[in-house]
Amino acid sequence: MTEGNQTFTSQFLLLGLPIPPEHQYLCYALFLAMYLTTVLGNCLIIILIQLDSHLHTPMYSLLSNLSFSDLCFSSVTMPKLLQNMQSQVPSIPYAGCLTQMYFFLLFGDLESFLLVAMAYDRYVAICFPLHYTSIMSPKLCVSLVLLSWVLTTFHAMLHTLLMARLSFCEDNVIPHFFCDMSALLKLSCSDTHVNELVIFITGGIILVIPFVLIIVSYARIVSSILKVPSARGIRKAFSTCGSHLSVVSLFYGTLIGLYLCPSANNSTVKDTVMAMMYTVVTPMLNPFIYSLRNRDMKGALGRVFCKRKMMV
């Protein structure tokens, strides 16, 4: 598409992952297996929570939403990555690129807010156990989830609309496996100062503030645990928070490594690998973390299978 002496692009080329050609099919099989594991694992958690009445609690309601967010977050990038690995021209249309960016921001931000809600749930459960049911009411849980959706939808839409106003010229090669916002800004031939300012301001709200709130919640939890005289009480409290802490460490650890610890050498390769960690690996590992470390989930799985056997 041409306008005057300037050429605008209608599609982008995704360079994908830095994989040697001889390893292409092996990596394709590996990523396909990882994606299917992510889908099956997170679907299993959602189904178990819906089927087992013992899991109809605030904590597992939030976990169900987190699993849905993980499932969608991985599905935003993985199907296109798998398709492009089998394609001679790994392209994505302009509209498709903006759509992918929107949903990537939406579900990535949603995970961050849900982790805050889950940290607050654990804080109330350990620090105010007698008032847990009255504080973490179904109404509050629904409000926390709805607020998370509203804020993340607004944030994702804001960045998508700001990106849509930019022009992209002849250089249409994205050195990534998905339409990363920072990579798109580098390709733009328009003024991107407004976009960068909004990223800086909203980045603090969407990532830094939730991370600080989680740290504060667990600092209060640790302080409360240390006041528990019995070793059994301490073990029980830590086992309650262990799964959530593992997920928080995985999610925020990769984000901090990617955005707060820049590398001058091979930065593109590093960015791609780190992005794979929080878009593919973390959503895949979350079901294992919550099922293997959680007695309630293992108990629910056993009860569901027992019911199925009795029905047969």
Side-chain angles (χ1 to χ4, degrees):
M1 182 170 59
T2 332
E3 187 177 310
N5 294 326
Q6 202 172 25
T7 304
F8 295 93
T9 186
S10 60
Q11 66 176 9
F12 295 98
L13 296 177
L14 296 168
L15 284 187
L17 302 170
I19 301 170
E22 62 270 19
H23 298 150
Q24 194 81 6
Y25 289 107
L26 177 63
C27 290
Y28 178 85
L30 175 64
F31 292 138
L32 178 60
M34 291 172 71
Y35 179 60
L36 291 176
T37 303
T38 302
V39 173
L40 293 173
N42 284 291
C43 283
L44 179 62
I45 285 182
I46 295 169
I47 292 169
L48 278 178
I49 291 171
Q50 292 299 317
L51 291 180
D52 195 289
S53 59
H54 295 85
L55 300 182
H56 294 172
T57 62
M59 182 177 80
Y60 291 107
S61 173
L62 294 171
L63 175 57
S64 178
N65 281 276
L66 182 68
S67 292
F68 177 75
S69 175
D70 279 335
L71 175 62
C72 296
F73 189 44
S74 186
S75 298
V76 169
T77 56
M78 283 301 289
K80 188 61 182 175
L81 170 64
L82 293 168
Q83 179 191 343
N84 285 346
M85 287 180 75
Q86 296 295 305
S87 172
Q88 296 297 322
V89 184
S91 63
I92 184 170
Y94 172 78
C97 192
L98 288 185
T99 302
Q100 188 185 58
M101 190 192 85
Y102 169 79
F103 284 108
F104 180 84
L105 290 172
L106 173 66
F107 291 113
D109 296 343
L110 183 60
E111 176 144 352
S112 181
F113 278 101
L114 289 173
L115 288 174
V116 175
M118 293 174 75
Y120 178 70
D121 173 80
R122 293 300 83 207
Y123 164 70
V124 175
I126 291 173
C127 297
F128 306 99
L130 299 178
H131 303 285
Y132 177 73
T133 34
S134 59
I135 296 175
M136 291 301 297
S137 62
K139 184 179 178 181
L140 179 61
C141 287
V142 172
S143 300
L144 288 173
V145 172
L146 283 177
L147 180 63
S148 300
W149 274 98
V150 169
L151 290 175
T152 54
T153 300
F154 171 76
H155 180 248
M157 184 61 70
L158 174 64
H159 283 295
T160 306
L161 291 175
L162 286 174
M163 188 68 70
R165 73 185 182 87
L166 302 179
S167 299
F168 295 91
C169 305
E170 292 183 5
D171 187 7
N172 67 338
V173 179
I174 300 175
H176 222 306
F177 64 93
F178 68 96
C179 292
D180 181 55
M181 187 163 53
S182 59
L184 284 171
L185 289 177
K186 290 175 184 176
L187 294 181
S188 175
C189 49
S190 303
D191 184 6
T192 60
H193 285 96
V194 174
N195 297 66
E196 290 165 359
L197 179 63
V198 173
I199 289 172
F200 178 76
I201 295 171
T202 59
I205 298 170
I206 299 295
L207 285 177
V208 178
I209 292 178
F211 182 64
V212 170
L213 289 174
I214 291 172
I215 294 297
V216 170
S217 296
Y218 276 99
R220 298 291 298 273
I221 288 171
V222 170
S223 174
S224 178
I225 288 173
L226 293 177
K227 296 175 184 176
V228 178
S230 68
R232 183 173 175 275
I234 293 175
R235 281 198 304 271
K236 185 179 179 182
F238 273 118
S239 67
T240 306
C241 301
S243 300
H244 185 245
L245 275 174
S246 302
V247 173
V248 168
S249 302
L250 272 173
F251 183 73
Y252 282 102
T254 51
L255 286 178
I256 289 169
L258 181 59
Y259 295 111
L260 300 184
C261 303
S263 173
N265 300 321
N266 299 322
S267 59
T268 303
V269 174
K270 177 206 167 186
D271 289 355
T272 305
V273 172
M274 295 297 286
M276 282 292 294
M277 282 296 296
Y278 74 86
T279 58
V280 180
V281 178
T282 301
M284 181 190 70
L285 291 180
N286 284 356
F288 291 100
I289 291 170
Y290 281 110
S291 60
L292 294 177
R293 293 177 57 91
N294 192 301
R295 291 180 182 177
D296 292 337
M297 291 299 297
K298 288 187 280 189
L301 188 61
R303 284 189 293 272
V304 168
F305 274 113
C306 285
K307 283 182 182 178
R308 291 288 176 268
K309 285 181 181 179
M310 289 173 67
M311 288 174 67
V312 174

